[in-house]
């Protein structure tokens, strides 16, 4: 918004801040839509998409010079997200444990380290782990608490590991 106004003043050409706003809303809407994931009838990423959009709106307000609106809304968004984060476990309910079976290459612990990093990234931990090795492959079965929406995204994260051969989950 500020750059649009600056270019208008520098070139002497009229500007239309509404065009900038429209493009930001369209672009951010597209990015936000990309954060929404549907898996097994469960939709995740809505809070992320909404947060991206509201941050863009606050940025537009600041760019347009409406600091008196942007500051209280920034505080409101931060307080809301913080409170939702603290009460999320109560809203989602108790843990339901699911079993995950992973077959990966026996590569001296490299893939195992990647799997632990992936689970940590999604705030999941392996419980009741059973590991066996056969013909250069590691067969790993574990349970995890599946109440958190990240449970669906972590499966795709497991597949991104080069050493993973098979992933099977059951609820």
């Amino acid at each position: 918004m500020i750059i649009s106004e600056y270019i208008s003043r520098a070139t002497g050409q009229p500007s239309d801040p509404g065009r900038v706003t429209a493009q930001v809303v369209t672009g951010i809407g597209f990015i936000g839509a990309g954060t929404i994931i549907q898996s097994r009838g469960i939709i995740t990423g809505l809070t992320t998409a909404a947060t991206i959009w509201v941050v863009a709106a606050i940025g537009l307000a600041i760019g347009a010079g409406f600091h008196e609106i942007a500051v209280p809304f920034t505080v409101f968004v931060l307080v809301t997200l913080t409170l939702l984060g603290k009460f999320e476990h109560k809203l989602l309910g108790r843990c339901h444990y699911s079993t995950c079976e992973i077959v990966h290459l026996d590569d001296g612990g490299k893939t195992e380290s990647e799997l632990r990093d992936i689970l940590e990234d999604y705030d999941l931990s392996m419980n009741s782990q059973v590991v066996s090795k056969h013909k250069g492959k590691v067969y790993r079965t574990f349970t995890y608490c599946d109440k958190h929406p990240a449970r669906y995204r972590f499966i795709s994260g497991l597949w991104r590991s080069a050493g993973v051969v098979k992933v099977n989950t059951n609820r």
Side-chain angles (χ1 to χ4, degrees):
M1 298 286 286
I2 293 170
I3 292 171
S4 174
E5 291 294 323
Y6 179 75
I7 291 171
S8 174
R9 284 188 220 127
T11 62
Q13 300 291 322
S15 73
D16 183 6
R19 290 177 64 194
V20 173
T21 303
Q23 295 304 313
V24 169
V25 169
T26 303
I28 294 300
F30 183 76
I31 291 170
T35 66
I36 300 171
I37 298 171
Q38 186 275 343
S39 178
R40 294 185 187 183
I42 303 294
I43 298 171
T44 61
L46 291 175
T47 303
T48 302
T51 302
I52 290 170
W53 195 88
V54 78
V55 168
I58 291 169
L60 286 171
I62 291 169
F66 295 112
H67 301 96
E68 65 279 356
I69 294 172
V71 171
F73 274 102
T74 299
V75 171
F76 174 74
V77 169
L78 290 173
V79 167
T80 300
L81 290 173
T82 301
L83 289 176
L84 282 177
K86 290 183 187 256
F87 294 108
E88 182 178 33
H89 65 281
K90 290 181 182 177
L91 297 172
L92 293 175
R94 296 177 51 192
C95 277
H96 299 96
Y97 287 93
S98 291
T99 302
C100 182
E101 300 168 323
I102 301 171
V103 178
H104 63 84
L105 301 177
D106 189 2
D107 55 6
K110 180 181 176 213
T111 300
E112 181 179 350
S113 177
E114 288 177 10
L115 295 177
R116 290 190 189 283
D117 289 344
I118 290 166
L119 290 169
E120 187 177 296
D121 288 344
Y122 291 103
D123 198 24
L124 295 169
S125 61
M126 291 188 230
N127 299 318
S128 307
Q129 183 174 196
V130 176
V131 180
S132 63
K133 295 180 181 183
H134 184 67
K135 294 186 179 180
K137 292 182 183 168
V138 177
Y139 297 81
R140 183 178 308 276
T141 303
F142 62 94
T143 59
Y144 64 96
C145 177
D146 72 353
K147 74 174 185 170
H148 196 279
R151 68 185 180 271
Y152 296 110
R153 292 182 290 200
F154 103 91
I155 300 296
S156 64
L158 293 174
W159 279 111
R160 286 193 294 268
S161 177
V164 171
V165 177
K166 179 181 175 185
V167 176
N168 186 25
T169 61
N170 53 353
R171 292 184 56 150

